[in-house]
Amino acid sequence: MNIYDLPDKQGHFGPYGGVFVAETLISALDELREQYDHYRNNAAFQNEFANELKHYVGRPSPIYHARRWSEHLGGAQILLKREDLNHTGAHKVNNTVGQALLARRMGKSRVIAETGAGQHGVATATVAARYGMQCVVYMGSEDVRRQATNVYRMKLLGAEVVQVKSGSRTLKDALNEAMRDWVTQVENTFYIIGTVAGPHPYPMMVRDFQTVIGTEAKIQMQEAYGKQPDVLIACVGGGSNAIGLFYPYIDDQSVRMIGVEAAGKGLETNKHAATLSKGKPGVLHGNRTYLIQDENGQIIETHSISAGLDYPGVGPEHAWLKDIHRAEYVGVTDDEALAAFHALCRFEGIMPALESSHALAYAAKFAPTLAKNQLILVNLSGRGDKDMATVAQMSGIAL
Amino acid sequence: MNRIAQTFSVLQSNHKKALIPFITAGDPAPALTVELMHSLVNAGSDIIELGVPFSDPMADGPTIQRSSERALKHRVGLHDVLSMVSEFRKENMRTPVVLMGYANPVEAMGYKYFAAQAEKAGIDGVLTVDYPPEECEEWVRCLEQHGLDTIFLLSPTSTQSRIAQVAKLAKGYIYYVSLKGVTGASHLDLKSVALRLEELRAVISIPIGVGFGIRDGKTAGAVAKLADAVVIGSRIIEEIEHSPQNKLLSNVAELVARMREAIDAQRS
Ligand SMILES: Cc1ncc(COP(=O)(O)O)c(C=O)c1O
């Protein structure tokens, strides 16, 4: 049996990943790679990380059987990995704790981050406060307007929020701007990327920090059900919550893995963010991966009801898992996600993030095609409090 | 000898340094680019770096980002840039043209097809900002087969082993980025540039150009004393940005002529 062991030393997952950056960034990435290679296998570091996840984040997150909803759907049993119960309300904090601890060991006093919806920005501002670091968050001016509450949360936590007014003024432009900050102030600054994107070692490092999701799930499933799930389902923006759940299962071919992208107003329209379904391979943000682009190779704006999935790229490891057919990637529309959001509220008393609602929507479609004794594990990547304004607006309700 | 080598060889025998302006193709409007290129040459430029607009210019500061956005408003793509160079070549067979841009537009076109078309259009070198040497050996070979030089960047933070690695692949000239950061920043430290160039010269045999942060004749002159070529980008883009249409060509030409004068005054 082949043991999955990627990326290679240069950060490649097959033809994807790698280091596609200007020379000015190379030494910063070299330093990061060397330091991370060291701490990746350092027991003291890993213990500190585990300890923080337990006492600060509140891990392990439970697996919950959505019994009433499963019965209503009339097929496989749907189980939820409750990342929504983490401190700050999403899986994002697993990664920011890991990177902040690394930043501290590297002697960096300032952390920066990009954010779209503001979830990763909040998770970064949170750990920066926790460890006493200066924090600057880059956010597209379009997103600042759309996500005013999260901007205020970041400020309450002591972060400076910088509005990015270039390009499409959204997440991808915030990432560009954070990279520009990093090259200019690399001596004292650590760039905390929020998903499994960017140049090597980021896709590997963020995956490693998020793998706690799947590692816990394997143990919890064995304990509670005496077996592993038949299917894993997770939403894919950049792909960090999905890879966090999938990674420990990659060598276990009996477990199907399904990533759900945002199909927005429909895959046949040009208003979606379904990078793996509709994109083509190319180079952006330091790695080779699938991208939503026009015929000239310009990156084009994406659309999704959920800001966290609204990204024109995708982590290179997902690109590879797609090509080798180890994982499947499907699309779920805004309307389908919204229906799943309401269903989970009503059947289980859990308000999911709109990102996670995409995974739930696919589970709802898929469950009836399976037998009642089969198990689907859905990564409930975050809670929906942040999305109330969007949901109200979509339903034509003024708050 | 190709046009780039020829240009440096003539300059050297005249004890002169190269002036390399950067403009973005299609900024402020596609119809102006070829005319602008001719006027850059007439004002004393030796090589032209022509930027290929890209939606996500991660290594560029606000000035060049804006110029890329202006060009993209006109939907200028790599095909258009190649046509502009073909057009330029109808009147000028002497001045080297180097395309500078990001990997994705080239990959979207297909890099083999691109190399063939670039050769046909009369392009001399290509600098792909986000193709570091370890990711692009095939690319370098492909460009070489079409007689195109691969230009690489080196920076203040490049290690000795990287410098050696780049030295092996680089053709035409090396572009030394004179400060940490992005294009358009403005604090070039001459002393550290001088020290660094000495180190580079020990390993690199092709000409070395210096750019990033050269904004006035004084700095251009001082850099010309140290390097083989002076690259001026953001300052020219600013002139394009601030000039009314009817003054654009003459303002840019005046700026370039001033830089030329300052560089020649430093003749070593
Ligand atoms: C709750 C939640 N889920 C998912 C995502 C998408 O990111 P990723 O694909 O990296 O998990 C986000 C991003 O903001 C998020 O907030």
Side-chain angles (χ1 to χ4, degrees):
Chain A
M1 196 182 98
N2 268 348
I3 301 292
Y4 182 89
D5 184 25
L6 293 176
D8 69 11
K9 281 242 166 325
Q10 287 77 40
H12 297 113
F13 303 88
Y16 304 110
V19 177
F20 291 89
V21 298
E23 182 64 24
T24 42
L25 258 178
I26 292 285
S27 73
L29 287 167
D30 282 348
E31 183 196 8
L32 178 61
R33 206 189 52 239
E34 279 162 27
Q35 294 285 321
Y36 182 61
D37 276 349
H38 172 71
Y39 287 114
R40 199 179 184 210
N41 303 306
N42 177 282
F45 178 81
Q46 293 301 335
N47 285 339
E48 187 182 13
F49 180 47
N51 204 48
E52 289 291 283
L53 289 182
K54 183 173 175 190
H55 297 285
Y56 189 62
V57 174
R59 303 202 70 90
S61 68
I63 287 182
Y64 167 79
H65 182 184
R67 193 168 279 133
R68 240 166 60 76
W69 195 40
S70 304
E71 262 168 37
H72 169 78
L73 292 166
Q77 302 307 305
I78 297 179
L79 311 176
L80 307 176
K81 178 66 173 157
R82 297 290 306 274
E83 292 300 301
D84 61 317
L85 295 177
N86 292 342
H87 178 42
T88 72
H91 70 292
K92 295 279 176 192
V93 72
N94 302 326
N95 169 49
T96 59
V97 166
Q99 291 198 52
L101 290 177
L102 182 60
R104 216 160 57 145
R105 303 251 173 168
M106 289 171 68
K108 311 282 183 183
S109 57
R110 177 175 179 267
V111 294
I112 59 173
E114 85 292 341
T115 198
Q119 288 307 103
H120 173 60
V122 167
T124 304
T126 299
V127 297
R130 161 86 182 82
Y131 302 122
M133 294 160 151
Q134 190 193 342
C135 178
V136 177
V137 178
Y138 288 92
M139 190 168 183
S141 57
E142 199 45 39
D143 290 332
V144 168
R145 194 181 56 74
R146 289 191 289 197
Q147 309 286 336
T149 331
N150 267 345
V151 174
Y152 186 54
R153 278 171 88 190
M154 288 184 264
K155 287 183 179 162
L156 286 175
L157 291 160
E160 180 192 347
V161 179
V162 178
Q163 292 200 34
V164 177
K165 295 189 172 141
S166 56
S168 59
R169 307 173 174 211
T170 58
L171 177 60
K172 76 177 180 67
D173 310 284
L175 204 152
N176 291 330
E177 205 54 36
M179 282 282 180
R180 292 178 189 122
D181 174 314
W182 195 34
V183 281
T184 321
Q185 306 193 51
V186 66
E187 286 86 4
N188 71 342
T189 298
F190 189 105
Y191 179 17
I192 300 185
I193 295 188
T195 188
V196 283
H200 182 61
Y202 281 103
M204 174 181 83
M205 180 171 68
V206 176
R207 175 197 75 193
D208 291 352
F209 290 140
Q210 290 293 1
T211 292
V212 64
I213 301 171
T215 306
E216 280 177 7
K218 267 191 148 171
I219 297 166
Q220 292 167 321
M221 288 300 300
Q222 198 56 46
E223 276 175 11
Y225 302 90
K227 61 174 182 176
Q228 295 303 324
D230 298 283
V231 187
L232 306 174
I233 299 181
C235 67
V236 176
S240 67
N241 86 86
I243 206 73
L245 177 64
F246 293 177
Y247 184 70
Y249 286 97
I250 289 178
D251 283 328
D252 185 352
Q253 299 284 343
S254 68
V255 179
R256 267 179 87 171
M257 310 194 303
I258 303 175
V260 185
E261 298 188 305
K265 300 205 184 297
L267 289 181
E268 69 292 346
T269 70
N270 55 12
K271 289 200 167 305
H272 60 73
T275 312
L276 287 165
S277 299
K278 303 293 280 187
K280 277 194 321 192
V283 171
L284 179 73
H285 291 155
N287 68 92
R288 177 172 285 127
T289 187
Y290 282 78
L291 299 172
I292 298 188
Q293 51 181 315
D294 69 12
E295 67 285 358
N296 284 328
Q298 310 296 350
I299 308 307
I300 43 188
E301 270 178 71
T302 50
H303 164 84
S304 169
I305 185 180
S306 86
L309 302 184
D310 211 348
Y311 178 63
V314 63
E317 191 160 18
H318 287 293
W320 180 237
L321 292 175
K322 173 191 160 83
D323 282 13
I324 62 171
H325 305 293
R326 177 60 191 97
E328 304 151 60
Y329 296 88
V330 298
V332 151
T333 64
D334 289 351
D335 290 344
E336 291 169 326
L338 205 57
F341 173 93
H342 288 301
L344 205 70
C345 286
R346 292 303 183 91
F347 280 100
E348 301 293 344
I350 295 173
M351 192 180 291
L354 282 174
E355 291 80 10
S356 323
S357 299
H358 286 72
L360 293 166
Y362 195 72
K365 277 202 244 183
F366 197 60
T369 70
L370 301 181
K372 279 195 164 39
N373 63 350
Q374 289 187 288
L375 302 178
I376 297 176
L377 179 60
V378 178
N379 200 3
L380 187 58
S381 57
R383 66 175 184 231
D385 309 48
K386 70 182 175 65
D387 295 318
M388 279 199 294
T390 312
V391 173
Q393 196 188 5
M394 294 286 291
S395 321
I397 292 166
L399 291 182
Chain B
M1 212 189 285
N2 72 15
R3 267 189 289 256
I4 294 177
Q6 179 74 31
T7 298
F8 277 106
S9 141
V10 169
L11 284 166
Q12 215 162 16
S13 51
N14 294 334
H15 306 285
K16 286 179 77 170
K17 299 299 176 70
L19 170 56
I20 310 182
F22 168 93
I23 57 170
T24 300
D27 174 31
L32 282 174
T33 300
V34 173
E35 227 181 319
L36 200 49
M37 289 169 77
H38 287 306
S39 79
L40 290 172
V41 173
N42 294 335
S45 303
D46 300 298
I47 297 173
I48 293 174
E49 282 186 359
L50 191 59
V52 180
F54 183 47
S55 53
D56 293 79
M58 205 168 80
D60 285 297
T63 306
I64 294 181
Q65 289 171 43
R66 282 195 303 272
S67 84
S68 217
E69 284 175 21
R70 282 192 296 269
L72 288 176
K73 280 222 177 84
H74 297 281
R75 300 195 53 78
V76 173
L78 191 46
H79 283 286
D80 306 303
V81 181
L82 293 171
S83 315
M84 290 173 190
V85 178
S86 300
E87 186 66 31
F88 173 76
R89 282 281 171 250
K90 285 181 184 162
E91 281 178 45
N92 183 324
M93 286 303 286
R94 177 178 49 87
T95 308
V97 175
V98 171
L99 290 197
M100 183 162 178
Y102 292 78
N104 204 53
V106 172
E107 297 209 349
M109 180 179 272
Y111 71 93
K112 287 180 182 156
Y113 179 80
F114 162 78
Q117 296 304 306
E119 179 184 16
K120 251 193 235 161
I123 285 158
D124 304 284
V126 184
L127 196 172
T128 316
V129 177
D130 49 353
Y131 267 160
E134 52 275 80
E135 296 284 4
C136 72
E137 280 185 26
E138 241 177 89
W139 160 249
V140 173
R141 225 171 304 132
C142 177
L143 290 182
E144 206 172 342
Q145 279 164 11
H146 290 278
L148 299 162
D149 288 342
T150 317
I151 317 290
F152 282 96
L153 297 170
L154 281 173
S155 87
T157 52
S158 304
T159 58
Q160 286 302 324
S161 70
R162 279 197 79 72
I163 296 170
Q165 194 180 7
V166 167
K168 253 189 256 161
L169 289 175
K171 292 271 162 56
Y173 60 96
I174 291 276
Y175 185 162
Y176 177 66
V177 171
S178 50
L179 47 83
K180 286 178 206 166
V182 294
T183 52
S186 60
H187 20 257
L188 180 145
D189 174 8
L190 281 169
K191 251 192 222 139
S192 61
V193 171
L195 279 174
R196 216 36 199 161
L197 285 185
E198 248 175 69
E199 284 170 26
L200 297 186
R201 284 254 159 68
V203 194
I204 289 162
S205 50
I206 58 179
I208 302 176
V210 171
F212 277 38
I214 301 173
R215 307 187 46 81
D216 51 37
K218 192 165 160 247
T219 317
V223 169
K225 252 188 174 164
L226 307 168
D228 304 300
V230 179
V231 187
I232 300 174
S234 296
R235 180 64 189 86
I236 293 177
I237 306 286
E238 277 169 24
E239 201 65 32
I240 292 173
E241 195 163 47
H242 298 315
S243 297
Q245 282 263 2
N246 61 344
K247 285 270 180 71
L248 193 143
L249 289 174
S250 60
N251 284 0
V252 171
E254 268 170 44
L255 171 70
V256 170
R258 282 203 302 279
M259 296 286 185
R260 173 83 263 166
E261 219 173 287
I263 290 169
D264 289 347
Q266 295 294 330
R267 197 176 293 201
S268 46

